Amino acid sequence: EKGLRVSDKGFLNTAVIHSQITYIDGEAGVLRYRQVGYPIEQLALHSSHLETGYLLIYGALPSKAQLKLFESEVMHHSIVHADAENFFRSFRYDAHPMAMLTSAFAYLGSYYSEANPSLQGQNLFTKSDPASLANMDKQIYRLIGKATTLAAMAYRVRQGRDFVTPPSGLSYTGQFLYQMDHLGQEDYRPSPVLEKALDVLFLLHADHELNASATTVLQTGSSLVDPYSAIAAGCASLYGPLHGGANEAVIRMLISIGSPENVPAFLEAVKKREKVLSGFGHRVYKTSDPRSFIIRKTADEVFKVTGKDELLETAMALHDAAIKDDYFVSRRLAPNVDFWSGLIYRAMGFPYDFFPVLFAVPRVVGWLAHWRQMMLQEGGVKIWRPRQIYVGAAKRDYVPTEKRE
Ligand code: SDX
């Protein structure tokens, strides 16, 4: 095939789009959303997840009025149809919450035909038509607002508890924690420290350029399927232990190591490729993942409320040994966003298999930012259809069954 160039396995160093959304400098360990401010630290300190979501999706920090409208629309759309209860109750009692959430996003799309180009036979979202932009915004509000509710429903059904509708006036993470942890106490309110810590974690997980799940959303969305189905596809990609499932894998790894004394033996097993050091390494960051430093600091804030996690000593021993060990240094492997986050979620009482859900929920704003950018791109949407280099069998004739050995 003339003119075809094979990109390395796993799209290594293959740029497939131009984007204005997130900037990463893997060598310098820099992450910037829409190049606002200094690296991610500034947003983590001063912004909120929803304000950052607005920035990612619409390209600029919102005015006070724009933020107020965005927040109220998202919170207004956080309610789901009552039938969703039957949907969640249809799962086996021990279904993985990421399987539930992935399915739930696609299920959600079945309610909104106005968002479904397949039903309308055309691309519904065009920059020039204000009505179509308003339609797009409404789907964006719905997906962000309902992501926490769907996640909380997956959690409640796993805990064998009824679903709860949070009171109005709570923050995005406040209403999420309320739905998760409310056990009938009249005046229950989540801890403000945990609410803020979860908002910082959500903000840090909001977007990360063209990672595997964002690419999946764009690959799927390029066929003009509805945004709910495209987000469901991204959620499926994030479920994997090489991607968003790593935060769950880190905790299981720390439990299996057991204590700081066992760290050297574990690292030897990793070097023999018998084990994987989850939470380390990154396709783009080759010096450090700036998010991991902020999450490490946030962990100390959370531990002041929840008490220190006994796995922290093992995690610190593992971290301190690996960052000095030539095997990892020579392969430029540093802690990534997943190394410390699981300790926070465990200290906050979330079940381990719920950790990837806590990655997927905030990542919805990043996926939507990429999806909206593609829908509104100059020249319209082109379906993503990569080529291949055929290296299979040469031409040969059909052999009837009776003549085959
Ligand atoms: C996320 O892309 C994103 O932006 C993702 C993300 C986001 O915000 O969306 O940042 C979120 O997914 C973070 C990554 C979470 N995954 C993990 O923590 C799982 C453990 N990490 C590895 O699986 C791995 O580091 C990847 C998948 C993250 C990156 O893999 P690459 O870029 O394909 O690296 P590689 O496999 O080519 O590794 C290079 C070398 C290899 O050694 P050699 O064969 O050359 O001798 O490093 C080794 C690898 O074996 N290696 C590891 C390792 N990661 C890479 N060895 C031990 N433990 C590891 N974690």
Side-chain angles (χ1 to χ4, degrees), residues 10-252:
F11 280 153
L12 216 57
N13 293 326
T14 305
V16 291
I17 58 167
H18 293 87
S19 176
Q20 300 176 23
I21 298 171
T22 291
Y23 171 77
I24 298 177
D25 179 337
E27 289 304 323
V30 168
L31 166 61
R32 288 201 193 110
Y33 292 153
R34 296 275 185 182
Q35 290 279 23
V36 163
Y38 299 103
I40 193 70
E41 288 76 3
Q42 209 178 69
L43 283 169
L45 212 55
H46 304 300
S47 186
S48 69
H49 178 62
L50 285 187
E51 181 181 73
T52 298
Y54 185 99
L55 168 68
L56 286 164
I57 294 167
Y58 298 104
L61 284 171
S63 66
K64 216 168 166 171
Q66 286 169 329
L67 180 58
K68 196 165 165 14
L69 174 66
F70 184 70
E71 287 173 340
S72 63
E73 286 289 353
V74 165
M75 299 311 280
H76 170 71
H77 286 288
S78 61
I79 308 290
V80 297
H81 194 287
D83 286 356
E85 295 196 9
N86 306 329
F87 172 81
F88 279 98
R89 292 205 195 290
S90 68
F91 286 94
R92 236 176 82 109
Y93 68 94
D94 59 352
H96 195 290
M98 277 300 272
M100 292 196 238
L101 185 64
T102 300
S103 326
F105 280 128
Y107 160 78
L108 204 52
S110 65
Y111 281 85
Y112 307 112
S113 60
E114 77 273 19
N116 191 331
S118 309
L119 299 178
Q120 316 288 339
Q122 57 173 328
N123 177 10
L124 297 171
F125 308 113
T126 43
K127 205 182 252 182
S128 54
D129 172 7
S132 98
L133 288 179
N135 179 17
M136 178 184 253
D137 286 346
K138 196 166 185 184
Q139 312 320 320
I140 287 170
Y141 302 147
R142 281 178 171 146
L143 272 157
I144 301 171
K146 295 176 193 329
T148 47
T149 304
L150 297 175
M153 293 179 86
Y155 177 81
R156 298 289 287 201
V157 88
R158 277 287 304 282
Q159 306 284 324
R161 292 186 197 150
D162 283 338
F163 303 112
V164 287
T165 305
S168 57
L170 296 179
S171 71
Y172 188 65
T173 48
Q175 58 96 357
F176 179 50
L177 289 172
Y178 184 98
Q179 291 183 82
M180 305 275 288
D181 299 335
H182 184 263
L183 288 175
Q185 319 90 314
E186 268 314 297
D187 53 356
Y188 167 71
R189 286 293 180 275
S191 139
V193 172
L194 300 188
E195 193 176 323
K196 174 64 183 158
L198 194 59
D199 193 75
V200 170
L201 281 160
F202 273 20
L203 185 154
L204 292 171
H205 285 81
D207 188 54
H208 210 244
E209 201 221 56
L210 218 48
N211 53 78
S213 52
T215 304
T216 306
V217 170
L218 294 182
Q219 174 73 57
T220 308
S222 75
S223 72
L224 285 189
V225 76
D226 68 278
Y228 300 86
S229 303
I231 295 295
C235 196
S237 167
L238 193 74
Y239 188 179
L242 290 188
H243 192 11
N247 53 20
E248 177 182 356
V250 166
I251 287 297
R252 297 190 192 282

Side-chain angles (χ1 to χ4, degrees), residues 228-402:
Y228 300 86
S229 303
I231 295 295
C235 196
S237 167
L238 193 74
Y239 188 179
L242 290 188
H243 192 11
N247 53 20
E248 177 182 356
V250 166
I251 287 297
R252 297 190 192 282
M253 168 186 75
L254 292 174
I255 291 169
S256 75
I257 293 171
S259 73
E261 295 69 46
N262 300 333
V263 163
F266 173 77
L267 289 180
E268 286 315 306
V270 170
K271 295 174 191 175
K272 289 191 213 118
R273 295 162 197 269
E274 292 157 7
K275 304 253 182 191
V276 167
L277 175 51
S278 286
F280 262 66
H282 199 278
R283 175 60 58 82
V284 180
Y285 290 125
K286 294 306 173 190
T287 47
S288 63
D289 181 334
R291 299 168 294 179
S292 65
F293 301 117
I294 305 169
I295 293 176
R296 177 69 190 86
K297 270 193 290 202
T298 306
D300 290 337
E301 289 307 306
V302 168
F303 294 147
K304 283 179 197 156
V305 172
T306 62
K308 223 181 241 187
D309 187 317
E310 81 271 5
L311 286 177
L312 181 63
E313 304 306 322
T314 305
M316 287 168 67
L318 180 61
H319 168 273
D320 296 350
I323 59 172
K324 290 195 289 273
D325 186 306
D326 187 52
Y327 179 90
F328 302 99
V329 174
S330 63
R331 289 170 174 78
R332 308 182 79 188
L333 302 175
N336 58 46
V337 67
D338 294 301
F339 187 75
W340 301 108
S341 56
L343 283 171
I344 297 178
Y345 299 144
R346 185 175 121 108
M348 290 173 82
F350 291 112
Y352 305 154
D353 60 6
F354 201 74
F355 294 4
V357 171
L358 297 166
F359 194 140
V361 166
R363 186 51 62 90
V364 167
V365 299
W367 291 334
L368 287 168
H370 289 283
W371 172 77
R372 182 177 186 273
Q373 178 176 254
M374 178 171 75
M375 286 293 123
L376 301 181
Q377 68 190 8
E378 286 311 313
V381 180
K382 297 287 285 177
I383 193 162
W384 285 24
R385 203 283 185 208
R387 295 301 310 280
Q388 57 159 32
I389 303 286
Y390 179 73
V391 291
K395 190 174 175 314
R396 51 190 169 167
D397 294 329
Y398 180 80
V399 179
T401 320
E402 60 280 6

